[in-house]
């Protein structure tokens, strides 16, 4: 889909080479309107999880960008994502969050749609329309492409976007860290009941960059580290990996996805965790063992927070979750967070994790609470005329990225920054904004799918 | 005479429970968190479900389930104590500087008393809350809803043995929940 | 006025055009029901067919199951 016209966003606002990014891209209402069009109508977005709609007629109302969409399963068991807006006068055809239904009926004038999106009910079709309305032209607006990947449902409005797997590229291996069972079996995760939804007063890119790999902000979580909520009773997480392995930041410049990861040494087992509960601790010990057997050297890789461009955050471990940063105007974001567990884990393990997840993440989570405070007031203090003149600094580690990174016989896909000794870098953050700027600049997917042009 | 004695005991109990809830609110609003923790039984359950918009006839799906689903809160005393400790570190930036919080408690109703109003050992009490939070400069939240508490008589004093908090919002309109309901 | 949300399958309803239909299933949206035509003075070919019937077209409940 080609997009052109006069623009508020200009290339100089994101200077990745110099590590400087203008505050305008966070606080300008005009740039926000442009990114809704150029980023959110063209990228692949996370919509939900198949386990939320197991039966025909099941639906879950989700969002893509600012827009409400319905994720549903039709009578033939096919999964769809529709714009939640009547074709006649725009009213939401579903104002419930979830349920099961044979039809979505608009309460305004009564147009009614089947779960496959077809317009099946038009009041006074014979009388008022003289049976002339072509109902086949007025089904619910459906996404251009939909992909179910290991239970997760993704969609894009852009028919010219590459397939989801091509959009992922090699980042797929890191997404798998969140979606595969802990013992390395493919898929094998489900979402816990209840999606947390809350509003935060900041631009959506603050949380997106944070999850891209802001390894510098640990200091802001000092209070939770002091009181200790980790699965073994101290700190925030059980992360003894960091004492024996390499701590990496990994990104894919042509795709815009990025993540943290830990790589453990060869021959070294994953350190014990979850030691508050013998059952849980034993479950993970056994999973880790099987994971090494099943995945070989790749089993040494442990996930850390990441961001799938543009607005899906991954927490592959501790606490395992997927978050979406729904834009709600330049100055507000609605966060939706789904929590994942191994589907066949014993109930005691699921329950232990559920309790840990909600004391860590979400608006009541002892960790995430402080993030929201930072994003809120960083945004607020960047809106002023003077403030906008001073770009943010993203210079950590500029020029120290490594291609074909390898450690103890394991090659790591992606462009890698080893931060074991340097403690931190803004490598992944630059990558996020590099891709964001490409989306803002490019007029078509031909320009964005740069990997296709390689010899 | 027995009826009158019971009616008097009922009145006294209602006032006693109301006073307890007001005292609790006072401790929270005056930031006397450690004294507030002393009002909680060691085995307290503190639960605040999330809410969904569901069709009439499917209202059993409105609330997330205690002990099974993701909730806003679903915890015991250990986590509540850590929340207090976190605020008192002075580096919990979401509550540093401290918010100004006011709990308005009303519509106090005794739902159940065991074994009897004459010798109440456990009561179930429902109330409404309006919590006003103002922090830093102009940031303001107003949260309104219902509570259902279990109170237990321990050594002549009430202790909160369970609290269910029903917030009248589906999407949480506050950026975080750093305070107590 | 009929609250169509509460109509059970098997209920027979008279419509504004003089037709009679029997409820087959009810999506409980309060606006439509799926129904089979038992008679139709307007168009006899409708008899036996299943249609979505609009709440405003329903006049009277004739029999309940």
């Amino acid at each position: 889909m080609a997009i052109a016209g006069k623009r508020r966003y200009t290339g100089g606002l994101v200077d990745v080479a110099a590590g400087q990014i203008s505050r305008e891209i966070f606080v300008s209402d005009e740039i926000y309107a442009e990114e809704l069009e150029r980023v959110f109508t063209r990228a692949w977005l996370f919509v939900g999880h198949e386990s939320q709609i197991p039966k025909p007629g099941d639906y879950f109302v989700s969002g893509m960008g600012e827009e409400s969409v319905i994720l549903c399963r039709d009578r033939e068991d096919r999964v769809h994502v529709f714009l939640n807006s009547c074709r006649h006068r725009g009213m939401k055809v579903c104002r419930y969050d979830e349920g099961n239904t044979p039809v979505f009926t608009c309460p305004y004038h009564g147009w009614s749609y089947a779960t496959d999106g077809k317009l099946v009910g038009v009041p006074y079709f014979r009388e008022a329309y003289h049976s002339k309305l072509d109902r086949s032209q007025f089904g619910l607006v459906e996404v251009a492409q939909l992909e179910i990947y290991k239970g997760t449902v993704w969609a894009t409005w852009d028919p010219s976007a590459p397939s989801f797997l091509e959009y992922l590229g090699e980042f797929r291996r890191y997404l798998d860290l969140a979606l595969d069972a802990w013992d390395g079996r493919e898929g094998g995760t489900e979402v816990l009941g209840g999606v947390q939804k809350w509003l935060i007063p900041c631009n959506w890119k603050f949380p997106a960059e944070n999850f891209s790999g802001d390894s510098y902000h640990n200091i802001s979580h000092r209070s939770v580290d002091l009181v200790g909520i980790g699965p073994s009773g101290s700190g925030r997480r059980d992360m003894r990996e960091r004492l024996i392995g390499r701590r990496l930041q990994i990104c894919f410049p042509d795709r815009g996805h990025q993540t943290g990861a830990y790589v453990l040494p060869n021959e070294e087992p994953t350190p014990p965790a979850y030691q508050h509960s013998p059952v849980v601790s034993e479950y993970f010990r056994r999973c880790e063992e099987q994971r090494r057997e099943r995945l070989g050297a790749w089993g040494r890789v442990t996930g850390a927070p990441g961001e799938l461009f543009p607005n899906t955050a991954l927490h592959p471990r501790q606490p395992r979750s997927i978050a979406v940063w729904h834009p709600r105007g330049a100055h507000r974001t609605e966060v939706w967070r789904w929590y994942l567990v191994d589907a066949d884990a014993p109930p005691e393990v699921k329950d232990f994790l559920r309790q840990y997840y909600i004391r860590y993440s979400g608006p009541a989570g002892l960790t995430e609470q402080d993030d929201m405070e930072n994003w809120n007031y960083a945004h607020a203090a960047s809106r002023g005329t003077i403030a906008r003149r001073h770009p943010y600094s993203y210079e950590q580690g500029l020029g120290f990225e490594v291609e074909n990174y390898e450690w103890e016989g394991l090659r790591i896909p992606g462009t890698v920054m080893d931060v074991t000794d340097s403690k931190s870098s803004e490598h992944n953050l630059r990558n996020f904004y590099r891709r964001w700027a490409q989306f803002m600049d490019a007029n078509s997917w031909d320009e964005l799918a740069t990997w296709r042009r390689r010899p | 005479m027995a009826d009158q004695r019971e009616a008097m005991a009922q009145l006294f109990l209602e006032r006693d429970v109301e006073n307890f809830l007001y005292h609790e609110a006072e401790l929270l609003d005056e930031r006397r968190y450690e004294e507030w923790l002393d009002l909680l039984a060691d085995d307290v359950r503190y639960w605040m479900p999330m809410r969904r918009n569901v069709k009439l006839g499917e209202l059993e799906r409105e609330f997330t389930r205690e002990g099974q689903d993701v909730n806003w809160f679903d915890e015991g005393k250990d986590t509540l104590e850590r929340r207090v400790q976190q605020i008192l570190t002075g580096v919990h930036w979401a509550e540093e500087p401290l918010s100004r919080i006011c709990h308005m408690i009303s519509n106090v109703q005794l739902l159940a008393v065991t074994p009897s109003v004459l010798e109440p050992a456990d009561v179930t009490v429902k109330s409404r809350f309006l919590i006003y939070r103002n922090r830093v400069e102009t940031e303001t939240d107003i949260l309104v809803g219902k509570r259902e508490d279990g109170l237990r008589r321990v050594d002549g004093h009430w202790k909160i043995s369970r609290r269910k908090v029903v917030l009248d919002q589906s999407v949480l309109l506050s950026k975080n929940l750093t305070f107590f309901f | 006025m009929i609250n169509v949300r509460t109509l059970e399958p098997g209920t027979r309803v008279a419509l504004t055009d003089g037709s009679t239909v029997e409820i087959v299933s009810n999506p409980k949206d309060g606006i439509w029901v799926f129904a089979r035509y038992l008679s139709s003075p307007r168009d006899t070919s409708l008899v036996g067919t299943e249609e979505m019937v609009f709440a405003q077209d329903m006049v009277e409940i004739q029999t309940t199951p």
Side-chain angles (χ1 to χ4, degrees):
Chain A
M1 213 175 290
I3 307 169
K6 193 166 153 43
R7 306 280 312 285
R8 175 71 184 77
Y9 170 76
T10 58
L13 297 176
V14 174
D15 188 346
V16 172
Q20 296 210 335
I21 293 172
S22 169
R23 300 180 189 213
E24 291 286 354
I25 74 161
F26 301 90
V27 300
S28 156
D29 293 311
E30 293 89 348
I31 290 176
Y32 174 76
E34 287 169 18
E35 72 183 348
L36 283 185
E37 172 85 42
R38 304 182 78 91
V39 177
F40 287 94
T41 71
R42 302 198 291 187
W44 279 89
L45 306 174
F46 180 79
V47 178
H49 198 275
E50 221 187 350
S51 63
Q52 295 179 277
I53 50 161
K55 297 187 301 294
D58 283 350
Y59 64 88
F60 169 73
V61 172
S62 188
M64 292 172 68
E66 277 198 359
E67 288 161 294
S68 175
V69 297
I70 303 170
L71 166 64
C72 71
R73 189 179 292 274
D74 73 16
R75 291 205 296 193
E76 312 295 324
D77 217 30
R78 284 175 311 220
V79 174
H80 300 267
V81 174
F82 300 114
L83 188 68
N84 184 8
S85 180
C86 183
R87 293 295 304 277
H88 173 251
R89 207 61 89 242
M91 174 65 183
K92 275 190 177 182
V93 296
C94 186
R95 289 164 302 132
Y96 305 113
D97 294 323
E98 55 180 63
N100 183 284
T101 190
V103 287
F104 296 103
T105 299
C106 176
Y108 193 2
H109 303 94
W111 281 27
S112 188
Y113 304 85
T115 48
D116 61 2
K118 287 197 181 77
L119 176 61
V120 291
V122 175
Y124 307 133
F125 174 72
R126 187 168 48 82
E127 299 92 331
Y129 288 96
H130 305 280
S131 302
K132 287 199 160 115
L133 179 77
D134 181 358
R135 285 174 288 195
S136 71
Q137 297 303 303
F138 288 95
L140 289 173
V141 175
E142 187 158 13
V143 293
Q145 300 184 61
L146 180 147
E147 176 75 32
I148 299 173
Y149 183 72
K150 296 186 176 178
T152 53
V153 184
W154 305 78
T156 176
W157 296 111
D158 195 337
S160 66
S163 73
F164 180 65
L165 289 183
E166 188 180 343
Y167 182 86
L168 274 182
E170 280 194 289
F171 190 75
R172 179 177 176 172
R173 305 197 70 174
Y174 301 103
L175 175 59
D176 287 347
L177 294 176
L179 303 182
D180 288 344
W182 215 283
D183 62 10
R185 277 172 302 135
E186 294 218 14
T189 44
E190 63 179 12
V191 292
L192 292 169
V195 178
Q196 290 184 327
K197 304 174 183 177
W198 75 103
L199 282 170
I200 50 177
C202 69
N203 186 273
W204 69 274
K205 294 188 288 304
F206 278 99
E209 92 156 45
N210 183 286
F211 275 77
S212 289
D214 185 334
S215 49
Y216 202 43
H217 82 290
N218 269 324
I219 185 66
S220 73
H221 294 305
R222 204 163 175 80
S223 66
V224 67
D225 290 336
L226 284 167
V227 304
I229 58 162
S232 293
S234 64
R236 231 176 319 150
R237 300 186 192 127
D238 289 353
M239 276 304 217
R240 285 206 263 162
E241 288 93 321
R242 72 178 67 186
L243 301 177
I244 57 169
R246 305 303 293 183
R247 186 174 173 214
L248 307 180
Q249 293 188 346
I250 302 156
C251 73
F252 294 85
D254 53 0
R255 301 300 205 281
H257 316 313
Q258 45 276 323
T259 188
Y262 293 90
V263 183
L264 294 168
N266 238 336
E267 311 298 325
E268 187 99 35
T270 305
Y274 300 96
Q275 291 180 302
H276 250 194
S277 156
V279 174
V280 182
S281 159
E282 173 56 21
Y283 175 77
F284 283 103
R285 193 199 56 74
R286 191 171 47 78
C287 284
E288 292 286 0
E289 212 174 84
Q290 290 170 352
R291 173 190 175 79
R292 291 292 184 98
E293 277 169 31
R294 196 168 269 126
L295 303 180
W298 186 253
R300 289 159 49 201
V301 176
T302 290
E307 180 83 10
L308 206 153
F309 188 85
N311 67 332
T312 306
L314 306 172
H315 232 186
R317 295 163 67 101
Q318 297 198 18
R320 199 172 202 185
S321 75
I322 291 178
V324 174
W325 321 111
H326 293 296
R328 295 285 183 266
H331 317 290
R332 213 159 60 137
T333 299
E334 188 172 317
V335 188
W336 286 27
R337 195 179 276 290
W338 288 254
Y339 293 88
L340 296 160
V341 288
D342 285 356
D344 56 7
E348 189 169 343
V349 171
K350 287 186 188 178
D351 189 53
F352 182 94
L353 292 174
R354 184 185 62 85
Q355 294 188 47
Y356 170 54
Y357 293 173
I358 59 181
R359 73 172 180 265
Y360 185 106
S361 289
L366 278 79
T367 304
E368 201 153 31
Q369 290 177 345
D370 287 321
D371 288 320
M372 266 93 69
E373 182 80 0
N374 289 323
W375 303 334
N376 176 354
Y377 287 101
H379 182 101
S382 296
R383 293 182 70 174
T385 309
I386 298 297
R388 292 188 194 205
R389 293 178 191 165
H390 300 277
Y392 297 148
S393 162
Y394 294 84
E395 290 167 56
Q396 282 178 28
L398 256 176
F400 289 86
E401 307 82 359
V402 176
E403 302 288 345
N404 300 314
Y405 178 92
E406 195 178 311
W407 189 58
E408 294 199 358
L410 179 64
R411 196 191 79 79
I412 300 295
T415 302
V416 175
M417 182 80 83
D418 186 331
V419 292
T420 315
D421 301 317
S422 66
K423 314 283 187 213
S424 182
S425 101
E426 285 163 339
H427 165 63
N428 279 1
L429 282 54
R430 289 190 293 275
N431 194 60
F432 173 76
Y433 292 110
R434 180 189 299 112
R435 190 59 172 163
W436 181 85
Q438 285 169 359
F439 265 79
M440 293 298 279
D441 281 327
N443 286 322
S444 73
W445 259 107
D446 288 341
E447 292 170 53
L448 286 167
T450 52
W451 57 87
R452 290 178 177 169
R453 296 205 292 271
R454 282 201 204 120
Chain B
M1 279 306 283
D3 283 354
Q4 199 181 350
R5 203 161 67 97
E6 243 174 58
M8 290 299 287
Q10 173 85 21
L11 272 177
F12 175 80
L13 182 60
E14 281 170 8
R15 279 299 290 143
D16 192 33
V17 166
E18 272 178 19
N19 279 340
F20 174 79
L21 295 178
Y22 299 155
H23 172 63
E24 188 212 350
E26 186 70 15
L27 293 181
L28 285 172
D29 293 349
E30 292 298 321
R31 300 162 179 162
R32 290 154 65 184
Y33 303 114
E34 280 154 339
E35 289 172 72
W36 175 73
L37 284 172
D38 287 341
L39 300 184
L40 308 180
D42 290 338
D43 60 347
V44 67
R45 287 299 310 162
Y46 187 83
W47 173 44
M48 179 166 151
M50 302 192 295
R51 299 178 76 170
R52 306 179 179 102
N53 294 293
V54 292
K55 217 170 185 173
L56 189 69
E58 294 176 6
L59 287 173
E60 71 283 356
R61 295 173 72 157
E62 181 176 9
F63 295 96
T64 54
R65 297 165 300 176
E66 182 178 16
Q68 293 181 69
D69 294 327
V70 175
N71 294 280
W72 291 131
F73 294 95
D74 189 357
E75 62 199 42
K77 195 162 184 177
D78 181 70
T79 301
L80 291 165
E81 282 172 345
R82 287 172 204 267
R83 292 183 187 279
V84 166
Q85 288 166 19
Q86 188 182 25
I87 293 169
L88 298 179
T89 61
V91 292
H92 179 27
W93 308 119
E95 276 300 328
E96 180 59 37
L98 289 169
S99 298
R100 290 163 286 276
I101 293 175
C102 192
H103 288 73
M104 312 289 287
I105 305 298
S106 75
N107 305 43
V108 178
Q109 292 172 280
L110 284 186
L111 300 185
V113 183
T114 54
S116 74
V117 290
L118 295 172
E119 287 175 50
D122 286 284
V123 303
T124 304
V125 56
K126 193 169 178 183
S127 58
R128 298 286 187 276
F129 64 82
L130 185 155
I131 298 173
Y132 169 88
R133 172 173 71 164
N134 172 268
R135 66 177 279 93
V136 189
E137 292 168 308
T138 59
E139 191 184 350
T140 302
D141 292 300
I142 294 174
L143 300 101
V144 181
K146 296 107 184 166
R147 297 190 311 199
E148 195 175 302
D149 298 331
L151 304 185
R152 185 189 300 152
R153 203 76 180 158
V154 180
D155 299 330
H157 301 281
W158 293 114
K159 296 268 185 190
I160 300 167
S161 57
R162 65 192 147 79
R163 169 159 290 168
K164 175 186 175 186
V165 182
V166 172
L167 180 68
D168 289 328
Q169 295 178 7
S170 68
V171 175
L172 181 71
L173 303 177
S174 306
K175 72 180 181 202
N176 59 25
L177 297 169
T178 50
F179 46 89
F180 302 98
F181 285 85
Chain C
M1 192 172 294
I2 303 167
N3 183 352
V4 305
R5 206 180 152 272
T6 60
L7 296 178
E8 295 294 331
T11 309
R12 293 185 177 191
V13 182
L15 307 187
T16 46
D17 67 356
S19 306
T20 302
V21 298
E22 183 175 301
I23 311 294
V24 177
S25 68
N26 189 340
K28 298 193 172 175
D29 62 9
I31 297 175
W32 296 93
V33 291
F34 297 94
R36 188 172 51 249
Y37 274 83
L38 301 177
S39 69
S40 175
R42 168 171 65 84
D43 180 358
T44 50
S45 73
L46 282 172
V47 175
T49 63
E50 253 181 54
E51 296 282 336
M52 282 175 76
V53 177
F54 187 47
Q56 308 268 68
D57 287 335
M58 291 182 226
V59 185
E60 188 182 21
I61 295 173
Q62 291 185 330
T63 60
T64 51

